Amino acid sequence: MGFVLEGPVLEGTVVRLEPLEHRHRADLARAAEEDRDTYAYTWVPRAGEVGAYIDAQLARAAAGRLAPYAQVSLATGRAVGATSYWEPRSWLCEDRLDAIEVGFTWLAPSAQGTGVNAESKLLLFRHAFEEWGVARVDLRTDARNTRSRTAIERTGARFEGVLRNWSRSWVPGEEGRLRDTAVYSVTAEEWPRCRQRLERRVAAGAPRAT
């Protein structure tokens, strides 16, 4: 039958990752219209586009390529962003997942620096390594996106390099252009150290980036 990508509810102390549904639409529309200067190189829909955004993510999920989540703040009960498992790869056996990407991530500015991102990564990485048994988790971002790259590096992921003209640009005004993509990863061997690092950050409360 092969591995079927389905993301379960994942809950921590500050965030609950819920499979993305249209019931999250109003919260995500509100989150998406906060200070959009912080999004820069990231695909974040406008409020009026959230319905179509959810439809697009659910279509990718139906094709087996994506498991999209809403990031729900436990403090407010509102969805404050989105993230996903993306591009599952099975090389050795079709019934086993060997690698997966964590991507399509964005977070409202008011939720940035609150520990939501750190704990979301902890929950996603832990499930991938400890439940699915993957050999690696990768993360990719626009090579120019210093904010995203800093956040990825703080998870403990290792920088692997820049793939030139690797994928489409999501920057407004750059439609039809390709971007350079910075690639990071965590391997199964590195996961125990990475987990400790993320657990310390969550326990201490992730400080707001400056």
Side-chain angles (χ1 to χ4, degrees):
M1 179 179 177
F3 177 83
V4 177
L5 179 59
E6 294 179 344
V9 173
L10 302 172
E11 184 164 337
T13 58
V14 297
V15 65
R16 181 172 58 251
L17 300 181
E18 299 177 354
L20 182 65
E21 299 177 3
H22 276 283
R23 64 187 175 88
H24 299 115
R25 179 175 178 173
D27 285 349
L28 292 179
R30 175 178 175 178
E33 289 302 326
E34 292 189 21
D35 181 7
R36 293 188 62 87
D37 288 342
T38 66
Y39 301 142
Y41 301 102
T42 303
W43 178 36
V44 180
R46 302 300 309 227
E49 300 168 341
V50 170
Y53 166 85
I54 294 174
D55 284 339
Q57 297 297 71
L58 294 181
R60 292 183 175 95
R65 300 177 60 205
L66 187 79
Y69 283 103
Q71 300 184 83
V72 177
S73 166
L74 293 181
T76 65
R78 294 197 303 267
V80 293
T83 192
S84 297
Y85 285 122
W86 170 235
E87 290 195 348
R89 280 105 68 203
S90 297
W91 294 305
L92 301 178
C93 174
E94 66 176 11
D95 292 326
R96 171 181 172 174
L97 185 65
D98 293 310
I100 198 160
E101 180 178 344
V102 170
F104 283 106
T105 301
W106 63 272
L107 198 61
S110 61
Q112 295 173 15
T114 64
V116 167
N117 181 61
E119 189 166 57
S120 291
K121 295 299 190 293
L122 173 62
L123 294 170
L124 292 166
F125 290 3
R126 186 169 63 197
H127 187 79
F129 284 114
E130 299 179 14
E131 299 299 326
W132 288 336
V134 300
R136 68 176 273 146
V137 170
D138 21 279
L139 305 97
R140 293 181 286 181
T141 189
D142 191 307
R144 299 168 294 179
N145 193 342
T146 55
R147 179 186 292 269
S148 177
R149 292 181 66 167
T150 298
I152 291 172
E153 289 164 2
R154 293 184 68 217
T155 70
R158 179 177 296 186
F159 176 59
E160 294 188 333
V162 172
L163 301 176
R164 297 177 297 168
N165 291 342
W166 180 252
S167 61
R168 64 171 290 183
S169 173
W170 296 103
V171 178
E174 293 188 359
E175 293 79 7
R177 293 178 56 183
L178 297 174
R179 75 178 196 190
D180 292 349
T181 296
V183 181
Y184 295 80
S185 71
V186 179
T187 66
E189 295 77 13
E190 296 165 343
W191 167 236
R193 174 184 54 79
C194 178
R195 175 174 177 164
Q196 291 177 353
R197 179 172 181 162
L198 285 169
E199 287 176 339
R200 286 195 298 268
R201 285 186 58 201
V202 171
R208 184 174 297 276
T210 56

